[in-house]
Amino acid sequence: MIAEIIVLLILLVAVYVASTLWQLRCLPPGPFPLPLLGNLLSIEQNRPYADLAKMAKKYGKLLRIHMGTRKVIVINSYELAREALITKSKDFAGRPCHFFGNIFGRDCTDIAFQTFNKRWKMQHKLALTALRLTEGKVNIADHAEKLCNRFYSCDGMLFDPYDMIFNSLGNCLSSLIFGKEHKLDDCEVKKLVHATHVFRDSLGAANLLDTFPILKYIPFDIIKKAKCAGKIRDEIFERKFGEHVSTFQKENIRDLIDALLKGFHELTDEGLVTKEHLISSASDFFFPGTETPSSIIMWAIYYAIKHPDVQAKLHRQLDDVIGSKNRPPEISDKPNLPYLNAFITEVHRIVSETPLAVPHSTTRDTSLAGFKIPRNMTVLINLWAIHHDPDIWGDPFSFRPERFLDENGQLYVEGVMTFSAGKRSCAGESFARKAVFLYLARLLKRFRFECPRGTTLPKEEESVFGIVLECKPFQIHAIPRDKDEK
């Protein structure tokens, strides 16, 4: 009897191995998957991007893994990422099913998590046009200055700047989306900020639920929180949208929602995009518009403290270019501040704040690097691996803003994919770049940042992975530079 069981087990293993090898024969190389679990045991949930980068050393920069029974292609190369996202952009522009993405994306009526189709193209174009029309209506510099004043009121005392930065950007996005007439009050901003934090945490936990869909029927606390946050977010956006509809005038575009309504009324293909899609498009801008820039600003303060020589160079260039103590930096100063721009780019590179981006999927049978990639294959773009590739950067774990300056000291950027690329690149890239520049230019012009004596900054590898890579909390002294000079 025991011998028969052993023979049966050997037969089952042989069948599993043979059938798996046959299914994988045309796909990129990768570790052999275990039944049901796939390669999950080889990937740490807190730093999956780093584990996938390590796998590239063995299997190549285009590899295949199994998340449970789901096959996933991982791109760890800048050249291959450009081929997929730009050269073959339509082939790789889809989105796989995403449990928390469905909640965050209002049942896939949004731009971020909706897959590539005719409706998405129309909705995406409508949103981009609306953003261009209204981006200049919000005074980012004013919000940055108010944040500086809050820092100044701390009078050099110890504090954690994260909530101040996040709430400031929340108010900034509120002004962009809802305008002055329908601007959110402080309580509503706090509710949306809380919802954003919940979505960030839930998206970080999404892999397990997407790998084992049966788990979504178990009442996990994170699922309850995500659904509750979605209801709070939707109530605010639906109410504000209704207010805009009742007061809309096409000759007077006040904000992003008005601009979306204007584009909606001008559509010729009626019915493809509905008002539900407009609400989802508007809410789509709040999460990345607050989460990503606030994360980068925190990381920039972190590296300015960690590298005081870099911070001193930033101060010198700001003083040389801006000159007068009474004139704050403006967006027009950006071309004249190459070292600050290089510093921001280096922060984006070394942090890779969205290390695995939002997952893509193939929209049709295609190929990459000579391998056949079938339709509906999930594809991960490992931005962290791309930004830490020693073949490109030489010393990828060293923080050196100078790597983005040419021999004349001017900004030169290549190899960085901060906002992804191609058809699914971040729609709010222009706004995010302006916000990060203005906030950091004004903060660094007015303050010298330090850690408390006797303490150290948290380690980079201790950062918290959601869909955005968050620095662990730390406290700072923001010392007004005008007091330094007295």
Side-chain angles (χ1 to χ4, degrees):
M1 183 66 178
I2 294 177
E4 293 170 343
I5 292 175
I6 293 174
V7 170
L8 179 60
L9 288 174
I10 292 173
L11 181 61
L12 289 174
V13 169
V15 169
Y16 173 76
V17 170
S19 63
T20 301
L21 289 174
W22 177 256
Q23 292 173 27
L24 302 178
R25 67 192 183 283
C26 295
L27 292 177
F32 192 83
L34 294 173
L36 298 179
L37 292 176
N39 305 118
L40 288 178
L41 298 182
S42 303
I43 303 170
E44 185 183 344
Q45 288 300 306
N46 291 333
R47 285 171 55 84
Y49 46 88
D51 289 330
L52 294 172
K54 288 178 184 176
M55 286 184 186
K57 296 177 182 179
K58 181 176 181 180
Y59 298 104
K61 292 181 179 179
L62 181 67
L63 59 89
R64 175 261 316 147
I65 60 168
H66 284 62
M67 304 294 289
T69 57
R70 183 176 50 150
K71 302 180 189 70
V72 177
I73 299 299
V74 184
I75 298 174
N76 294 285
S77 155
Y78 178 69
E79 292 78 13
L80 290 175
R82 284 185 60 83
E83 181 183 344
L85 300 180
I86 298 176
T87 307
K88 298 181 176 179
S89 58
K90 289 185 179 180
D91 295 4
F92 290 86
R95 287 281 192 247
C97 292
H98 196 292
F99 178 75
F100 285 111
N102 288 349
I103 298 173
F104 172 64
R106 294 167 49 86
D107 294 325
C108 291
T109 58
D110 70 329
I111 298 171
F113 290 97
Q114 186 181 164
T115 198
F116 184 76
N117 51 38
K118 186 177 180 181
R119 175 186 287 120
W120 180 90
K121 288 190 285 185
M122 184 178 292
Q123 188 176 347
H124 183 255
K125 183 178 180 180
L126 184 64
L128 283 178
T129 303
L131 188 60
R132 292 191 193 104
L133 189 62
T134 54
E135 196 174 305
K137 293 182 180 292
V138 59
N139 192 338
I140 301 173
D142 182 55
H143 289 278
E145 196 63 23
K146 287 178 181 177
L147 178 65
C148 288
N149 292 336
R150 290 202 65 189
F151 276 33
Y152 196 87
S153 67
C154 294
D155 198 25
M157 299 296 289
L158 191 64
F159 69 101
D160 182 342
Y162 180 76
D163 286 341
M164 289 187 194
I165 294 170
F166 205 101
N167 290 332
S168 175
L169 283 158
N171 276 293
C172 187
L173 264 293
S174 169
S175 298
L176 171 71
I177 297 169
F178 305 108
K180 293 180 181 178
E181 188 173 333
H182 300 284
K183 190 175 184 294
L184 301 182
D185 59 36
D186 289 342
C187 181
E188 289 171 319
V189 171
K190 286 180 180 178
K191 286 180 179 180
L192 282 184
V193 165
H194 173 71
T196 300
H197 290 326
V198 172
F199 283 133
R200 176 198 64 201
D201 296 339
S202 63
L203 289 170
N207 278 339
L208 199 60
L209 287 168
D210 290 328
T211 300
F212 302 108
I214 195 172
L215 295 178
K216 68 184 180 183
Y217 298 107
I218 300 175
F220 290 116
D221 191 49
I222 190 65
I223 297 177
K224 294 178 182 177
K225 286 182 178 179
K227 289 181 176 179
C228 181
K231 287 180 181 178
I232 292 170
R233 187 267 321 261
D234 292 348
E235 187 278 325
I236 292 174
F237 272 88
E238 287 168 8
R239 175 164 45 83
K240 292 294 182 180
F241 186 83
E243 292 172 6
H244 278 74
V245 170
S246 63
T247 59
F248 174 73
Q249 296 176 318
K250 64 179 181 180
E251 300 84 8
N252 179 29
I253 303 303
R254 301 161 293 185
D255 47 50
L256 183 71
I257 293 181
D258 270 358
L260 287 168
L261 283 168
K262 179 179 183 295
F264 176 72
H265 291 312
E266 294 171 353
L267 289 177
T268 55
D269 196 345
E270 296 182 3
L272 195 60
V273 174
T274 69
K275 290 184 178 180
E276 280 297 313
H277 293 95
L278 299 189
I279 298 172
S280 296
S281 295
S283 66
D284 238 11
F285 282 107
F286 194 88
F287 175 78
T290 49
E291 190 71 41
T292 306
S294 61
S295 173
I296 282 299
I297 292 166
M298 278 297 295
W299 278 111
I301 293 173
Y302 174 97
Y303 282 105
I305 293 172
K306 186 171 184 179
H307 300 278
D309 56 326
V310 170
Q311 186 173 179
K313 288 182 183 178
L314 291 166
H315 288 154
R316 282 197 297 273
Q317 187 172 85
L318 282 161
D319 291 344
D320 290 343
V321 172
I322 306 302
S324 171
K325 296 178 185 177
N326 296 322
R327 185 177 83 78
E330 302 290 349
I331 196 68
S332 58
D333 294 309
K334 195 173 189 289
N336 301 318
L337 294 165
Y339 191 75
L340 175 57
N341 291 315
F343 169 75
I344 292 171
T345 306
E346 179 69 340
V347 173
H348 279 301
R349 182 200 68 81
I350 201 165
V351 173
S352 300
E353 64 273 14
T354 51
L356 293 175
V358 180
H360 289 241
S361 69
T362 48
T363 58
R364 57 192 176 195
D365 291 346
T366 185
S367 64
L368 193 61
F371 293 100
K372 294 180 180 179
I373 312 295
R375 184 173 180 268
N376 292 329
M377 175 71 75
T378 299
V379 180
L380 296 180
I381 314 296
N382 192 348
L383 298 179
W384 189 90
I386 291 169
H387 294 160
H388 292 80
D389 186 343
D391 295 337
I392 297 176
W393 308 106
D395 55 346
F397 294 96
S398 297
F399 187 82
R400 286 196 307 108
E402 291 80 6
R403 72 174 81 240
F404 295 110
L405 297 175
D406 64 18
E407 62 274 11
N408 298 316
Q410 296 304 304
L411 185 70
Y412 177 78
V413 179
E414 188 176 1
V416 178
M417 306 183 78
T418 301
F419 296 93
S420 192
K423 295 187 179 299
R424 301 306 298 238
S425 61
C426 177
E429 177 178 351
S430 174
F431 177 86
R433 288 191 184 279
K434 287 179 183 177
V436 169
F437 173 82
L438 279 169
Y439 270 73
L440 285 175
R442 295 201 170 202
L443 286 169
L444 287 163
K445 183 71 174 69
R446 288 185 61 178
F447 300 100
R448 175 168 53 84
F449 296 107
E450 291 183 353
C451 246
R453 287 185 181 179
T455 65
T456 57
L457 290 165
K459 296 178 180 179
E460 290 101 321
E461 57 268 25
E462 294 175 345
S463 52
V464 181
F465 174 63
I467 196 167
V468 174
L469 205 58
E470 297 283 355
C471 184
K472 284 192 72 174
F474 61 95
Q475 293 187 313
I476 65 169
H477 291 297
I479 301 166
R481 295 184 64 222
D482 58 1
K483 295 183 180 181
D484 271 356
E485 296 166 2
K486 292 179 181 178

